[in-house]
Amino acid sequence: MSDTENPETASEVRTENTVEADEFEPIQVFPESEEMDLRPGSDDCYKCSTCDTNCPVAAVDDEFPGPKFQGPEQWRLKRKDDHDIDDSVMSCSNCMRCDDACPSDVPLSQMHNTARGSFVENQMDKLSREYVRNRILANYGALARLGSKVPRLTNFVMGNSVVQKFNEKLLGITSERDFPAFADETFRTWWKRRGGVAASKKRAQDARAERDGANVESDDKRVAYFHGCYSNYNTPAVGKAMVRVFERFGYEVMVPPQRCSGTPMFANGMLDDAERAAEVNVRELAAAIEDGADIVASCTSCSMSLRQEYPELFDFEGTASVAARTYEALEYLRVHEDLEGALDDAEIDGEGDAESENFAYHAPCHARNQGLAGQAVELLDRLEGANAEDVGDSCSGISGTYGWKDEKYDTSMQIGAEMFDHMESVEGETGLTECPTCAMQMEHGTGYEIRHPLEVLEEALVD
Amino acid sequence: MAIEDDVLVVGGGIAGMTAALAAAREGAGGRVRVLSHKDSTLKSASGLIDVLGYAPRPAASAAGRGAGDGQSHGADDAENRAPETPLSNPFDAIPDLPDSHPYRIVGEAGVREGLALFDDATGDLYRGGHTDRNALVPTHGGRVKPTARYPASAAAGLASDDRDALLVGFETVTDFDAPLVADHLESVGVPFDAEGVTLRFPGGFRADAKLTRFADALDANERVERVGGAGYTETLPAREALAETVKDHLGDAERVGFPALLGQHAPAEVRADLEAELGAAVFEVPMGPPSLPGMRLEGALVAACREAGVRFTTGNPAVGYETDSSGRVRAVRVERNGAAIPFHADQFVLATGGLVGKGIDSDREGVREPIFDCRVAHPSDRYDWFEDDAFGDHAFARFGVEVDGELRPLDARGGSEFPNLRAAGAVLGGHDFAAEKSGAGVSLATGRFAGRTAAKEVRD
Amino acid sequence: MASTPHTVVVGGGSTGCGIARDLAMRGVDVSLVEKGNLTHGTTGRMHGLLHSGGRYAVSDQASARECIEENRVLRDIASHCVELTGGQFVQLEDDPDEYFEEKLQGCRDCDIPAEVLSAEEAREEEPYLTKDVKRAIRVPDGAVDPFRLCVANAADAQRHGARIETHAEVVDVLTDGTEVTGVEVRHDSGPGKREHVTPGERERIDADYVINAAGAWAGQIGAMAGVDVAVRPSKGAMVVMNCRQVDTVVNRCVPKGDADIVVPHETTAILGTTDVEVEDPEDYPEEQWEVDLMIDELSKLVPILREARTVRSFWGVRPLYEPPGTGTADPTDITRDYFLLDHDDRDDLAGFTSIVGGKFTTYRMMAEEISDHVCEKFGVSATCRTADEPLPGSEDFSVLRDYMEEFGLRSPIGRRSVQRLGSRADDVLKTGEPNPVLCDCEAVTRAEIRDAIDQSGTDLNAVRIRTRASMGNCQGGFCCHRMASELHPEYDAPQADAALDELFEERWKGERHALWGEQLSQAALNYALHATTMNRDRDPGDATVDFGAFDSGADDLHEEVNHGD
């Protein structure tokens, strides 16, 4: 696979092809695929329907039958020669709440991911508008790479209502949403400009020296940062916060070459695209582990992907160890450092005259699935000047690319309504979440400024 | 470093949340965390709070007989079954329970304290606390069941109430056949006339629409289409449309029962609107999974726990533990994609559920408690785990950990396994909650006992 | 002799149903009586293999030839009962080469298409096969649903004028000393469709001819007529997996042995089997070692089976027969061939023939032979048409349709419905009413359940075998009561109750053999649903409940005072 040689430029060629729908040449999905058989996963199902009661899509979309049918039931009914997958699988937003709900370990999202991949491969018209649109959305990282080359121009163009209408009409991308703005400078550019890993090593040593009084080498305190597309292209401030916070705790940060985690590709059944990206990521991250690093992500969907979806769907060398060594940023510090103690001793200032800053915190579904739902609020409770309130355990409704689809926009906003209500009832007008697309939805629904917990930590802990 | 609490409760069902609530209230200022893997079985349960519905079975029939004795089943087992007459007062029978029963360990006072904590935590959501007596609540199987607390939504449905009742089922709600349930209730001699009717839920929902979908529609009072009496179509708010659909069938009934789908978040409002439209009392008949009353109860318990400062960590399984040099549990290990994350605490409560909740696991060779490897007594021959009658006196129904007088699990030698670990709820052995109707009661009584004792230990 | 002689067929298994259809199509007046449901005996307790003949290609080539011949016929006439899975005879590393070669040669000798697969090819076809595969022979084995096949035969017989009486146990075979004149049956309820709680009655059915097709029970029927039919029943255990680990029939290629076959059956895989002679076809031990043997042995062939979920086990008895004096010691060596015993020739008792031995795959051929025999006696000249005329459900049907569009069902549900109903799908599914799924595991809708109830009355086990409702992973925990509800109000509450209890107990009987791991948890959940949530275990029955002694609501405070609490 030649395009993996240089991950930084990997998918540009294909993306250019996708810009003009007429010229789009579909690439065969699953060129050498082995169909995955997930029927044995139905062994764990007791039919209790707990998954259905947790499905945010089934709650508002009458055409969607819910995860029990989409997953274990549909799989169990399958014979080898049966290829028809109910088309409702494309309505699953891949929020993975069913995984989190199932009291019995049915591999629901793996079933949905695989069924969706199979549906896209066997039953979806590769020339259809829906396929082209999904392909573009799924490859956001590649799109962003292009856009961020000329961020101001792109931001201007994508913000143009004519272009938005064009997207909606031609591609089925809703014009209700504003495209996320590209940063003037990507995280990676900043990172290189700052001096890369050598500079990080120095800073980490300084921090250790300051704390422990000794300028010691430490192979233990090394992390590889998986920034994902969004922190790189759109919100480099989150990436910078991650680097500074970890350096403050004495960690040397590495930033290995990387591609999209695959989350949007899974959600759109583009398993082949995801596999190509995953192969690069696993190789690069496994190499970082060889160098003594643990993997840290700031986006909870990225960490979800590395931890759960890779081992469920792929079998590259190193997949399991990457999964076992990947952490969400706050989780990592909490387990390995006395983060709570550090926060006890710190404080932040409220906006203007306010004594404290209030955050309406939303736990992304993918954070919930990793057991991280209560973490940010618990931690910020320790921090003087910060007051974080959980806005409930509903789904934000955007689920990555889902809420961008014209036909899913209303559903997405219906799902999000509960969260918007709860946000409105929280004092203050700042939202907080780990997931960039949840952040888009939170901002879209309330107009609040949305921050990442790492940014708050940076404010509190980094001088 | 790492995650540290005073009391760590493993398991987020009714027993776990009760333990956490008791601990948080008892040890003001202490840190209490509920650690759970997935959703609990509360959504599968009816939401009724059974304490003790039937006297225990005669001890003689407790021995397993196995399937090896051919195809005959039924008669012998039926004769051995416990008395079928429900207990009107559950507390009267507690002294007659075997010594190993969880109620004997916490005592009648412990059961009452558990209920008191529950009543306080759930407030208006539940009824029945005004008396020691059991209530008989109609089930979706057409029987009446003795229970100690019932959702407010089921209050108007009690079988000892002599008002005539109309039961309304819906074509696609397949677990509740209202005419059949009505016939059944009359056959057990309830003191009222019961009629049943099956209607189409207004609004043209799909045939596979879930109970929760109807509940959402009623919560939001969505506008739905309904074909009126004269054949024209009108668009009405869902509650009104439902009432209009039912009205013609009301007859002399003073109360109307529905399968439990009358709202998830606003059940009281849904019921009040329906009652106003119908001019009759409205009640729900509790249903199996997914259970709206169970979901509401879960919401109420979570809210009470949060209010009391309990913290929740969900999503990854507890798989093992660490001890310190004195043999106390120091941490519970949580598995997360191959990495083990320790959760430290001073006191621990095991409330992981029974066979259904996965707190008890089994294979062809045996039965075990998977986190602490607590002792679970069971016959060595798996053909002695069950009886040949489907409702026989199954040994498996009693599988669970054995505990000492403080609910501390026993080790293989019969001593308490760890000084700072207690067990609560369905993970406890020694009772058949399904046969005696005691599931929620045992969870409340032992959950409260374990949580409170843990908090006391922290404080001392 | 009467031009339309009345023939009674005893036994509603594959052979009996096949005979009833064959004779009825030839214009013979037929009554079939069966003590239980159709398939109650051996037919309903087999592993569902449609033999290619490969299993007999070394030991019994005559049977092998019959199998491949009938295999081809059934694909045509019973397409909605048959799944063309193909099969493999798998040789593991340590299995004997000579036998493999013998098997291959045997298949070729019997005109059974056979192809040698390399280990890689075998595993490509069946990915869950062990890595220890050395090679395999591919043969045209298939899977067949014996329930549907019997029901279709019986339905077609009825269409041609036959009377089918289930739950009608023969209690006597009537003779006048030289000739059999009929049978006396005891109807469980009825005659006619079964209705629980309805008292049964005895009926004397006169006949010009009686055919004993009672399989393993043929000896008992023979005894009623005073003739000796020495059936040697042999039990075999079968273990039902929750889902299909294989999509082709996987046989182990060894000379003979227990636990050597995995058959994909509908949504499940069935492991088989043992071979132990028993005294009484109705009363024999169902033993733990048999279940463990299936799992332990067959997981050597398909390793995933070791930890996979089993949902139940069942046992069947083979109606083996060998002519008097043969004296084979090991039941596995008794021939699988069938025998037509004309008791006139054999025992000087006219009007009575027993058909014994044989196997499911050749049921039609056996039915044809005995029908020829009877027709010849009565001078009926019509010839057999059962090999050419498709069964109801298998007529001219192509399954490539838009199920969702046509029936308003999700596509996998529509697909499964059509796989079961075949060409009857339109009739059954297009009701114009909301058609919710009642059995989620097997995707069985209300319309299909109601269709089955129309055929079989309150007998929910008969509904089950027609539809597969309650045969999935929950083993009826979530749907038995839904099925019973469909009986009401056509049948009253006590009838619906009795029918529910019977189905629930029948499900439990098999599920008991799978009670560990997932299925024990499922059983505990089912128990909780039915006992706790529905309180079905504590029906007060005739006992009176003192409703006044219980809480009647918070408002009636006067009662509180009266009770002093």
Side-chain angles (χ1 to χ4, degrees):
Chain A
M1 205 177 284
S2 62
D3 65 355
T4 59
E5 299 296 337
N6 181 355
E8 285 285 282
T9 59
S11 48
E12 282 179 40
V13 178
R14 272 204 321 281
T15 311
E16 275 167 1
N17 282 341
T18 64
V19 172
E20 287 290 327
D22 288 343
E23 294 172 18
F24 179 63
E25 283 190 8
I27 302 161
Q28 191 193 356
V29 181
F30 295 133
E32 62 283 305
S33 81
E34 285 173 42
E35 287 254 314
M36 276 178 87
D37 177 9
L38 288 176
R39 288 177 296 190
S42 70
D43 279 3
D44 287 318
C45 180
Y46 304 153
K47 325 297 287 184
C48 72
S49 303
T50 303
C51 53
D52 286 345
T53 64
N54 283 269
C55 175
V57 177
V60 296
D61 179 356
D62 287 350
E63 294 305 308
F64 188 66
K68 179 161 70 88
F69 174 77
Q70 276 299 343
E73 287 177 357
Q74 178 159 247
W75 271 104
R76 190 174 167 278
L77 293 172
K78 196 171 147 67
R79 296 173 176 176
K80 195 179 193 177
D81 298 330
D82 296 333
H83 288 296
D84 55 325
I85 301 222
D86 198 68
D87 57 8
S88 57
V89 75
M90 295 308 285
S91 293
C92 163
S93 73
N94 203 35
C95 71
M96 305 171 92
R97 290 175 79 92
C98 44
D99 272 359
D100 193 35
C102 174
S104 186
D105 278 337
V106 176
L108 284 141
S109 67
Q110 187 184 17
M111 289 173 153
H112 306 327
N113 271 331
T114 310
R116 188 163 40 233
S118 170
F119 180 86
V120 169
E121 181 191 18
N122 297 315
Q123 285 162 260
M124 204 171 185
D125 177 3
K126 306 298 182 296
L127 295 171
S128 68
R129 183 180 89 147
E130 190 186 0
Y131 179 83
V132 173
R133 187 267 322 270
N134 290 358
R135 193 82 199 270
I136 291 171
L137 288 175
N139 285 283
Y140 174 77
L143 191 75
R145 165 134 190 92
L146 283 182
S148 65
K149 296 229 189 255
V150 278
R152 291 195 189 87
L153 175 63
T154 312
N155 291 343
F156 173 75
V157 171
M158 296 313 280
N160 182 312
S161 64
V162 176
V163 172
Q164 290 186 333
K165 279 290 165 206
F166 173 85
N167 280 337
E168 181 166 294
K169 286 269 178 298
L170 187 70
L171 293 172
I173 295 172
T174 181
S175 63
E176 298 287 339
R177 292 184 193 275
D178 294 328
F179 265 90
F182 291 112
D184 292 346
E185 181 185 52
T186 68
F187 168 77
R188 294 189 76 93
T189 311
W190 170 82
W191 171 255
K192 276 179 203 148
R193 188 165 59 74
R194 184 173 180 257
V197 72
S200 183
K201 191 179 192 111
K202 174 78 173 62
R203 282 165 205 260
Q205 281 173 355
D206 290 350
R208 287 199 296 271
E210 188 183 326
R211 202 165 51 163
D212 306 333
N215 186 355
V216 286
E217 287 283 329
S218 172
D219 280 342
D220 295 342
K221 305 202 94 176
R222 184 174 292 162
V223 295
Y225 178 37
F226 191 87
H227 48 68
C229 303
Y230 207 79
S231 292
N232 189 33
Y233 298 119
N234 302 85
T235 56
V238 172
K240 293 174 194 171
M242 182 276 165
V243 170
R244 289 173 184 143
V245 170
F246 272 72
E247 286 172 353
R248 145 79 171 75
F249 281 99
Y251 286 89
E252 171 191 329
V253 180
M254 307 157 64
V255 183
Q258 56 194 264
R259 289 184 51 189
C260 170
S261 68
T263 301
M265 299 159 181
F266 299 130
N268 287 286
M270 307 289 172
L271 294 192
D272 193 40
D273 291 349
E275 185 169 12
R276 276 193 290 271
E279 190 177 11
V280 175
N281 291 334
V282 170
R283 190 182 63 219
E284 295 294 339
L285 297 176
I289 291 170
E290 281 289 300
D291 290 342
D294 288 322
I295 316 301
V296 171
S298 54
C299 161
T300 43
S301 293
C302 292
S303 56
M304 179 85 241
S305 195
L306 299 176
R307 279 173 161 179
Q308 182 179 327
E309 281 161 322
Y310 283 14
E312 281 182 353
L313 298 169
F314 308 126
D315 191 22
F316 309 117
E317 198 183 329
T319 306
S321 83
V322 168
R325 299 279 291 268
T326 296
Y327 297 80
E328 188 275 336
L330 270 64
E331 177 194 24
Y332 190 84
L333 292 175
R334 196 166 180 220
V335 173
H336 293 91
E337 299 296 325
D338 184 14
L339 181 55
E340 298 196 358
L343 289 169
D344 282 342
D345 299 337
E347 63 178 309
I348 59 169
D349 300 324
E351 291 264 330
D353 300 337
E355 283 194 5
S356 64
E357 185 157 11
N358 292 301
F359 298 102
Y361 173 75
H362 164 75
C365 297
H366 290 177
R368 186 174 304 281
N369 216 2
Q370 293 166 78
L372 305 174
Q375 168 182 277
V377 169
E378 268 180 37
L379 288 169
L380 294 189
D381 266 358
R382 318 293 295 240
L383 178 62
E384 202 182 326
N387 180 22
E389 193 170 325
D390 195 312
V391 295
D393 59 4
S394 58
C395 173
S396 79
I398 192 165
S399 290
T401 60
Y402 183 86
W404 283 93
K405 298 172 184 175
D406 188 24
E407 76 279 10
K408 301 285 194 280
Y409 175 77
D410 288 344
T411 306
S412 160
M413 293 303 281
Q414 264 177 285
I415 296 172
E418 193 177 330
M419 179 188 73
F420 301 145
D421 284 352
H422 288 145
M423 285 179 72
E424 301 283 358
S425 67
V426 172
E427 221 174 287
E429 297 196 341
T430 306
L432 190 71
T433 192
E434 290 93 346
C435 167
T437 59
C438 288
M440 283 181 211
Q441 177 87 333
M442 292 163 80
E443 189 196 350
H444 184 63
T446 61
Y448 287 12
E449 178 202 359
I450 314 298
R451 301 179 69 188
H452 190 288
L454 276 170
E455 295 177 276
V456 182
L457 254 58
E458 181 190 19
E459 185 184 338
L461 301 175
V462 180
D463 306 328
Chain B
M1 171 148 161
I3 301 152
E4 180 133 18
D5 293 279
D6 294 326
V7 178
L8 182 70
V9 178
V10 187
I14 187 166
M17 286 199 278
T18 302
L21 185 59
R25 289 189 174 186
E26 185 68 26
R31 292 200 193 182
V32 180
R33 182 184 303 278
V34 170
L35 179 70
S36 62
H37 182 198
K38 303 289 184 86
D39 268 16
S40 76
T41 51
L42 257 172
K43 285 174 177 168
S44 298
S46 66
L48 295 176
I49 303 299
D50 301 345
V51 168
L52 193 62
Y54 295 88
R57 298 173 193 265
S61 69
R65 288 210 338 268
D69 53 359
Q71 306 185 348
S72 65
H73 55 69
D76 296 351
D77 298 291
E79 280 164 24
N80 282 340
R81 279 194 204 168
E84 308 296 349
T85 323
L87 292 169
S88 59
N89 186 327
F91 299 102
D92 289 350
I94 290 178
D96 301 332
L97 294 169
D99 290 345
S100 58
H101 195 289
Y103 283 164
R104 293 296 302 279
I105 297 169
V106 302
E108 181 185 331
V111 179
R112 290 184 181 278
E113 290 289 339
L115 283 168
L117 181 63
F118 175 84
D119 291 339
D120 185 63
T122 55
D124 284 347
L125 198 59
Y126 273 79
R127 300 282 159 78
H130 62 285
T131 174
D132 272 359
R133 286 178 294 152
N134 273 326
L136 294 172
V137 176
T139 74
H140 73 102
R143 275 63 172 184
V144 294
K145 186 176 81 156
T147 196
R149 299 288 185 273
Y150 40 91
S153 68
L158 300 192
S160 301
D161 182 337
D162 59 8
R163 289 176 292 174
D164 290 349
L166 172 70
L167 298 177
V168 176
F170 301 107
E171 279 175 331
T172 62
V173 178
T174 55
D175 278 321
F176 183 70
D177 185 314
L180 182 57
V181 170
D183 282 1
H184 261 301
L185 291 177
E186 291 202 333
S187 78
V188 297
V190 292
F192 56 90
D193 288 339
E195 282 291 321
V197 63
T198 302
L199 302 174
R200 188 165 297 184
F201 197 96
F205 291 95
R206 280 191 66 108
D208 58 0
K210 309 283 183 291
L211 290 180
T212 43
R213 181 66 192 91
F214 298 118
D216 290 344
L218 290 168
D219 270 344
N221 217 1
E222 284 173 24
R223 294 189 74 83
V224 296
E225 283 198 351
R226 168 177 184 276
V227 181
Y232 59 88
T233 301
E234 53 187 351
T235 304
L236 294 173
R239 298 172 197 173
E240 190 183 338
L242 178 56
E244 286 298 325
T245 307
V246 170
K247 252 179 196 167
D248 292 345
H249 303 273
L250 199 52
D252 295 331
E254 294 173 77
R255 47 182 178 154
V256 182
F258 294 91
L261 50 70
L262 302 180
Q264 182 174 346
H265 303 294
E269 290 153 46
V270 172
R271 231 165 39 246
D273 280 2
L274 288 173
E275 288 181 338
E277 293 281 345
L278 287 168
V282 164
F283 64 93
E284 290 184 319
V285 176
M287 300 275 284
S291 160
L292 268 302
M295 291 165 71
R296 296 177 201 133
L297 173 55
E298 182 171 54
L301 291 176
V302 169
C305 283
R306 287 199 192 282
E307 177 87 357
V310 174
R311 308 194 292 183
F312 287 82
T313 295
T314 62
N316 293 304
V319 293
Y321 62 97
E322 297 169 8
T323 50
D324 64 17
S325 53
S326 65
R328 292 166 60 88
V329 179
R330 187 176 63 189
V332 165
R333 283 169 165 269
V334 167
E335 203 269 350
R336 199 231 60 198
N337 303 98
I341 311 225
F343 280 71
H344 294 264
D346 184 52
Q347 298 289 323
F348 296 83
V349 176
L350 178 70
T352 43
L355 285 166
V356 184
K358 297 266 180 139
I360 301 294
D361 198 7
S362 65
D363 60 21
R364 280 192 284 156
E365 311 306 324
V367 185
R368 70 199 159 274
E369 185 287 304
I371 302 175
F372 296 98
D373 201 20
C374 304
R375 189 167 98 174
V376 178
H378 62 279
S380 56
D381 181 345
R382 73 167 189 265
Y383 276 63
D384 291 333
W385 295 355
F386 56 84
E387 290 296 312
D388 290 348
D389 181 14
F391 291 125
D393 190 11
H394 301 302
F396 74 73
R398 288 190 180 73
F399 285 172
V401 303
E402 291 176 86
V403 289
D404 69 7
E406 283 210 7
L407 295 180
R408 287 180 298 215
L410 303 183
D411 61 18
R413 295 182 318 277
S416 58
E417 195 178 13
F418 307 103
N420 60 340
L421 173 69
R422 288 172 188 78
V427 75
L428 292 168
H431 69 298
D432 178 345
F433 76 85
E436 62 191 34
K437 324 298 167 194
S438 65
V442 167
S443 291
L444 293 175
T446 57
R448 181 211 161 259
F449 185 97
R452 185 185 148 90
T453 315
K456 269 186 173 166
E457 297 271 330
V458 170
R459 223 175 28 199
D460 293 346
Chain C
M1 294 251 169
S3 59
T4 54
H6 182 220
T7 304
V8 166
V9 178
V10 181
S14 54
T15 312
C17 291
I19 296 167
R21 179 186 189 226
D22 195 331
L23 288 174
M25 285 172 77
R26 302 193 206 196
V28 176
D29 187 12
V30 190
S31 299
L32 181 147
V33 292
E34 160 60 52
K35 67 188 282 189
N37 274 319
L38 295 177
T39 76
H40 166 83
T42 307
T43 301
R45 324 200 115 252
M46 48 106 57
H47 45 39
L49 170 65
L50 180 67
H51 280 280
S52 63
R55 279 180 81 80
Y56 305 123
V58 175
S59 58
D60 185 353
Q61 296 204 339
S63 289
R65 284 198 185 84
E66 288 169 5
C67 281
I68 187 65
E69 203 172 307
E70 284 301 300
N71 176 305
R72 293 191 174 109
V73 170
L74 288 179
R75 292 174 193 203
D76 280 346
I77 66 157
S79 60
H80 81 293
C81 309
V82 170
E83 186 189 347
L84 303 175
T85 60
Q88 291 186 9
F89 282 88
V90 177
Q91 182 191 17
L92 303 189
E93 281 300 342
D94 296 332
D95 293 342
D97 278 332
E98 311 80 65
Y99 188 74
F100 187 90
E101 297 302 337
E102 270 184 81
K103 179 70 81 183
L104 186 62
Q105 190 54 47
C107 287
R108 291 185 172 148
D109 293 346
C110 300
D111 296 326
I112 300 164
E115 180 189 347
V116 177
L117 303 176
S118 68
E120 295 71 37
E121 289 165 332
R123 295 193 70 231
E124 191 171 322
E125 216 169 271
E126 275 309 333
Y128 288 122
L129 276 179
T130 171
K131 292 191 170 77
D132 293 336
V133 173
K134 190 172 178 188
R135 55 187 168 160
I137 304 170
R138 179 159 59 203
V139 294
D141 280 344
V144 59
D145 187 301
F147 306 115
R148 281 209 291 282
L149 187 73
C150 273
V151 167
N153 270 288
D156 204 36
Q158 272 179 311
R159 203 173 62 177
H160 287 89
R163 176 184 177 197
I164 308 287
E165 282 290 344
T166 58
H167 302 283
E169 182 178 7
V170 172
V171 291
D172 199 8
V173 176
L174 309 170
T175 72
D176 63 6
T178 59
E179 190 179 2
V180 169
T181 58
V183 294
E184 184 172 352
V185 298
R186 183 170 54 213
H187 293 285
D188 179 67
S189 74
K193 272 190 277 191
R194 185 170 181 209
E195 291 187 16
H196 280 81
V197 194
T198 309
E201 58 186 62
R202 289 194 177 217
E203 183 188 3
R204 183 190 162 104
I205 303 176
D206 295 327
D208 299 301
Y209 207 85
V210 173
I211 299 169
N212 174 13
W217 286 260
Q220 295 175 12
I221 299 294
M224 290 178 196
V227 299
D228 182 34
V229 180
V231 177
R232 293 182 60 179
S234 157
K235 71 165 175 173
M238 279 146 281
V239 174
V240 188
M241 308 309 294
N242 169 57
C243 68
R244 285 166 71 130
Q245 286 84 12
V246 296
D247 288 283
T248 57
V249 178
V250 176
N251 304 268
R252 182 139 179 211
C253 192
V254 286
K256 68 176 181 188
D258 288 341
D260 63 352
I261 186 166
V262 186
V263 183
H265 178 73
E266 302 289 312
T267 51
T268 70
I270 297 182
L271 317 185
T273 179
T274 47
D275 200 343
V276 180
E277 192 160 356
V278 296
E279 284 293 317
D280 183 338
E282 211 133 355
D283 187 11
Y284 51 85
E286 300 173 348
E287 291 165 280
Q288 175 177 351
W289 69 264
E290 297 175 277
V291 175
D292 289 336
L293 180 77
M294 292 307 126
I295 297 168
D296 294 339
E297 276 302 305
L298 285 164
S299 53
K300 292 175 188 164
L301 204 53
V302 183
I304 193 178
L305 294 174
R306 180 167 293 282
E307 299 300 327
R309 173 179 179 176
T310 80
V311 292
R312 65 192 287 114
S313 290
F314 62 91
W315 277 255
V317 279
R318 302 173 188 83
L320 301 182
Y321 177 85
E322 59 182 12
T326 315
T328 308
D330 182 344
T332 58
D333 291 332
I334 298 175
T335 178
R336 263 51 177 170
D337 204 356
Y338 64 88
F339 297 85
L340 193 155
L341 312 177
D342 185 327
H343 298 293
D344 194 4
D345 303 341
R346 191 172 173 266
D347 307 298
D348 293 324
L349 182 65
F352 191 42
T353 289
S354 296
I355 182 147
V356 288
K359 57 212 150 295
F360 178 86
T361 300
T362 58
Y363 86 94
R364 195 210 57 81
M365 185 181 273
M366 292 158 68
E368 178 175 350
E369 187 170 332
I370 198 159
S371 298
D372 285 348
H373 184 73
V374 172
C375 287
E376 190 185 313
K377 286 205 183 282
F378 291 98
V380 175
S381 59
T383 55
C384 177
R385 289 180 287 139
T386 57
D388 305 315
E389 286 205 17
L391 286 160
S394 291
E395 302 113 337
D396 181 32
F397 185 74
S398 66
V399 286
L400 294 171
R401 325 166 54 162
D402 191 340
Y403 318 111
M404 174 112 176
E405 192 98 329
E406 277 193 59
F407 306 121
L409 301 173
R410 306 276 180 195
S411 77
I413 295 168
R415 185 186 71 228
R416 280 298 295 152
S417 298
V418 172
Q419 282 168 350
R420 286 188 299 261
L421 291 164
S423 48
R424 296 185 59 244
D426 274 343
D427 289 348
V428 175
L429 297 177
K430 283 189 176 167
T431 62
E433 298 286 311
N435 188 19
V437 172
L438 298 188
C439 167
D440 292 317
C441 302
E442 295 291 322
V444 186
T445 62
R446 173 177 284 158
E448 198 176 338
I449 299 282
R450 289 204 171 151
D451 170 68
I453 290 172
D454 285 345
Q455 294 173 33
S456 52
T458 61
D459 190 339
L460 293 179
N461 278 308
V463 172
R464 171 178 64 78
I465 64 172
R466 282 165 171 79
T467 61
R468 287 192 59 77
S470 78
M471 292 173 87
N473 35 353
C474 82
Q475 289 287 292
F478 283 69
C479 68
C480 280
H481 54 289
R482 298 176 185 163
M483 294 166 69
S485 293
E486 296 303 318
L487 297 170
H488 189 264
E490 187 184 348
Y491 302 98
D492 64 22
Q495 288 180 302
D497 247 9
L500 169 56
D501 287 344
E502 185 182 72
L503 176 63
F504 199 72
E505 291 293 345
E506 190 284 335
R507 295 286 77 196
W508 177 247
K509 185 174 182 297
E511 195 184 2
R512 295 173 312 167
H513 297 286
L515 292 187
W516 67 86
E518 293 97 343
Q519 202 62 29
L520 181 56
S521 292
Q522 180 79 60
L525 175 58
N526 292 354
Y527 179 53
L529 289 182
H530 287 261
T532 309
T533 304
M534 288 188 246
N535 201 16
R536 286 215 309 114
D537 64 328
R538 300 285 190 160
D539 205 332
D542 297 331
T544 40
V545 176
D546 178 9
F547 286 93
F550 290 82
D551 176 13
S552 59
D555 296 329
D556 48 354
L557 291 172
H558 59 283
E559 272 198 56
E560 300 301 315
V561 176
N562 291 344
H563 281 83
D565 49 20

